[in-house]
Amino acid sequence: MRFPKLFERLATLAPLPPEEWAKAEAVAKEQSLAKRELFLRPGDAADRFAVVLQGVFRAVRVSPRGGESIKAFRAEGELLGAYAEMLQRLPSMTAIEALEPSHVLVFQTQDFQQLERGHVCWERLARRVAEQHFVLKERREQEFLELSAEERLVKFWEEHPHLKGRISQRDVAAYLGITEVALSRIMSRRRKRAE
Amino acid sequence: MRFPKLFERLATLAPLPPEEWAKAEAVAKEQSLAKRELFLRPGDAADRFAVVLQGVFRAVRVSPRGGESIKAFRAEGELLGAYAEMLQRLPSMTAIEALEPSHVLVFQTQDFQQLERGHVCWERLARRVAEQHFVLKERREQEFLELSAEERLVKFWEEHPHLKGRISQRDVAAYLGITEVALSRIMSRRRKRAE
DNA sequence: CCTCCGCCTTAACCCAGGTCAAGCCCAGGT
DNA sequence: ACCTGGGCTTGACCTGGGTTAAGGCGGAGG
């Protein structure tokens, strides 16, 4: 077994027989990415996903009007991919970019579907993953509905302390739905308030 | 079969043997709700969900600070329940309220889990449901990140024309994340612009 | 060593939306 | 016919965040 830690993490989501995991490892390919390199670019078919072994990524949505907003950051142990587009069989509208030299474990969705046909555990795992992603998005929805930019900032760092120092202010702002300038102002306001 | 239309809708999501559906119908209970009556109140255990047969509901989250925001409206054929809380086994933080005299088909999650043990089709269906809910929430996230309140309003009516006349302005505003007052202003601005 | 560039901050100005408060319209109840 | 209350609008005023533009600073390449 090449990735025992990953196996353990997945096994906590749904019962996963080691021999099924072995099959998964057999079809997965490792890939290294340089800083700024894209794992997925907008327009690509959303036919693969990955687990981050090392590094940090940002999922950027480039809107028709040219604005960039950030859907998520992904670090070690997390899933990488244009999930929504995959589910809808649409080309990716998301760019997924390494913010550091990174290392990932790539799966073709096709291969994964093959695994699903072989054992129910994969179906169950996919369900858990979908459910967890849903819970996260709903939490984010709440934050937009109820919180100011400043409150969202505080929550962001509470929930993602491991990203400290690894992502730019500009990107944090794009994640919160505000501009770099506004974020800077908010931070200086807080600094002053704390004397 | 008491609800052939519902069966057909579900069968489009995942293959669903009629005999399995029959079992589901057997454990489901119909419930009628008056206008303003709650299907679920905050603090309740999130141990049941329902399909709307007739009527419209709103899922309201009452924030600690007393503000009300609306997570979703649900009309005929849609699912009703504190989904995120159910998945996390938390008490409901959501009130689900009938906006009209309504009629729903209620399932206990416990009964549903029993069905899951009996046949894989339910697992697959649950996965599809989770995935669809995810896609919807992600769409909403995009809207908060990229669109102004006015643009969100336009999209809202494009996507939910069947709610026209059935929900109050105040509720639309609470769904968009703005106040009743701001919504009214936006509408009068648009009226003028259209001369 | 200097320059350039990317990243962050600051300032000036503007506008969308929040807040508070008054007022309107209409449906229901007496 | 009268009140009452809920839902919607409007106005005055305030504030958070957008926009633009001007630096500051630190690291990479000449």
Side-chain angles (χ1 to χ4, degrees):
Chain A
M1 193 178 299
R2 281 188 295 162
F3 306 100
K5 267 180 63 183
L6 184 51
F7 168 71
E8 271 196 36
R9 232 184 57 80
L10 295 177
T12 64
L13 290 180
L16 178 59
E19 58 275 20
E20 284 299 317
W21 175 242
K23 289 190 211 167
E25 284 192 348
V27 296
K29 289 201 181 57
E30 290 186 59
Q31 180 182 352
S32 292
L33 294 102
K35 182 169 174 167
R36 306 240 95 210
E37 194 177 344
L38 298 181
F39 172 71
L40 200 70
R41 72 195 67 229
D44 283 4
D47 58 357
R48 47 197 224 114
F49 61 94
V51 179
V52 181
L53 299 172
Q54 182 56 239
V56 191
F57 291 78
R58 54 172 192 173
V60 183
R61 150 124 182 175
V62 183
S63 78
R65 285 134 190 101
E68 282 196 356
S69 56
I70 294 196
K71 293 205 289 198
F73 298 100
R74 290 287 144 86
E76 289 81 8
E78 298 184 297
L79 283 170
L80 222 53
Y83 191 37
E85 293 92 324
M86 217 180 79
L87 295 174
Q88 298 168 94
R89 286 158 220 289
L90 293 173
S92 173
M93 293 174 302
T94 312
I96 299 182
E97 181 185 342
L99 299 177
E100 304 173 353
S102 300
H103 204 226
V104 302
L105 188 64
V106 186
F107 299 82
Q108 300 297 130
T109 57
Q110 213 179 334
D111 293 337
F112 188 80
Q113 284 158 10
Q114 191 59 43
L115 288 174
E116 282 179 28
R117 267 174 242 121
H119 196 292
V120 281
C121 69
W122 297 110
E123 185 84 48
R124 206 164 297 167
L125 186 63
R127 173 184 175 182
R128 280 284 123 71
V129 167
E131 290 174 347
Q132 286 204 163
H133 282 227
F134 170 79
V135 169
L136 289 180
K137 287 299 174 195
E138 177 154 314
R139 193 167 305 166
R140 201 149 139 75
E141 169 187 73
Q142 282 314 325
E143 290 171 8
F144 280 116
L145 284 169
E146 309 190 338
L147 303 181
S148 66
E150 175 164 0
E151 294 169 310
R152 295 205 299 280
L153 173 66
V154 172
K155 266 214 168 186
F156 176 78
W157 286 122
E158 283 173 9
E159 286 166 17
H160 307 277
H162 57 292
L163 295 177
K164 209 108 207 180
R166 303 173 80 182
I167 58 183
S168 73
Q169 214 102 282
R170 185 204 249 52
D171 283 347
V172 175
Y175 179 84
L176 297 176
I178 61 179
T179 60
E180 196 185 13
V181 179
L183 177 53
S184 179
R185 265 193 308 237
I186 289 170
M187 286 174 42
S188 82
R189 218 188 304 152
R190 310 191 86 236
R191 243 174 281 132
K192 267 170 213 151
R193 228 177 304 147
E195 260 96 322
Chain B
M1 196 179 299
R2 281 187 294 162
F3 307 100
K5 267 181 62 184
L6 183 51
F7 168 71
E8 272 196 35
R9 232 184 57 81
L10 295 177
T12 65
L13 290 181
L16 179 60
E19 58 274 21
E20 284 299 316
W21 175 243
K23 287 190 213 167
E25 283 193 346
V27 295
K29 289 201 180 57
E30 290 185 62
Q31 180 183 354
S32 293
L33 295 101
K35 181 169 176 168
R36 307 241 94 209
E37 194 176 345
L38 299 182
F39 172 71
L40 200 69
R41 72 195 69 226
D44 282 4
D47 59 357
R48 49 199 224 112
F49 61 94
V51 179
V52 181
L53 299 171
Q54 181 57 240
V56 190
F57 291 78
R58 56 172 192 176
V60 183
R61 152 124 177 172
V62 182
S63 79
R65 285 132 190 101
E68 282 196 356
S69 57
I70 294 195
K71 293 205 289 197
F73 298 100
R74 290 287 145 85
E76 288 80 9
E78 298 183 298
L79 282 170
L80 222 55
Y83 192 37
E85 292 93 326
M86 217 179 80
L87 296 174
Q88 298 169 94
R89 286 157 220 288
L90 293 173
S92 173
M93 293 174 304
T94 312
I96 299 182
E97 180 185 343
L99 299 177
E100 305 175 349
S102 299
H103 205 225
V104 302
L105 188 63
V106 185
F107 299 83
Q108 301 296 130
T109 58
Q110 213 180 334
D111 292 338
F112 188 80
Q113 284 159 9
Q114 191 58 42
L115 288 174
E116 282 178 31
R117 268 174 241 122
H119 196 292
V120 281
C121 68
W122 297 110
E123 186 85 46
R124 206 163 298 164
L125 187 65
R127 175 184 175 181
R128 280 285 123 71
V129 167
E131 289 174 347
Q132 288 207 344
H133 281 227
F134 170 79
V135 169
L136 289 179
K137 287 299 174 195
E138 178 154 314
R139 192 167 305 165
R140 203 149 137 77
E141 169 187 75
Q142 283 313 328
E143 291 170 9
F144 280 116
L145 283 170
E146 309 190 339
L147 304 181
S148 67
E150 175 163 0
E151 293 169 309
R152 295 204 300 278
L153 174 66
V154 172
K155 267 213 167 186
F156 176 78
W157 285 122
E158 283 172 11
E159 286 166 17
H160 308 277
H162 57 290
L163 295 177
K164 209 105 207 184
R166 303 173 81 181
I167 60 184
S168 72
Q169 213 102 284
R170 185 204 249 54
D171 283 347
V172 175
Y175 179 84
L176 297 176
I178 61 179
T179 59
E180 194 185 16
V181 179
L183 177 54
S184 177
R185 268 193 305 238
I186 288 170
M187 287 175 40
S188 81
R189 219 189 303 150
R190 309 191 88 235
R191 241 173 284 133
K192 267 170 215 152
R193 227 178 303 146
E195 259 94 321

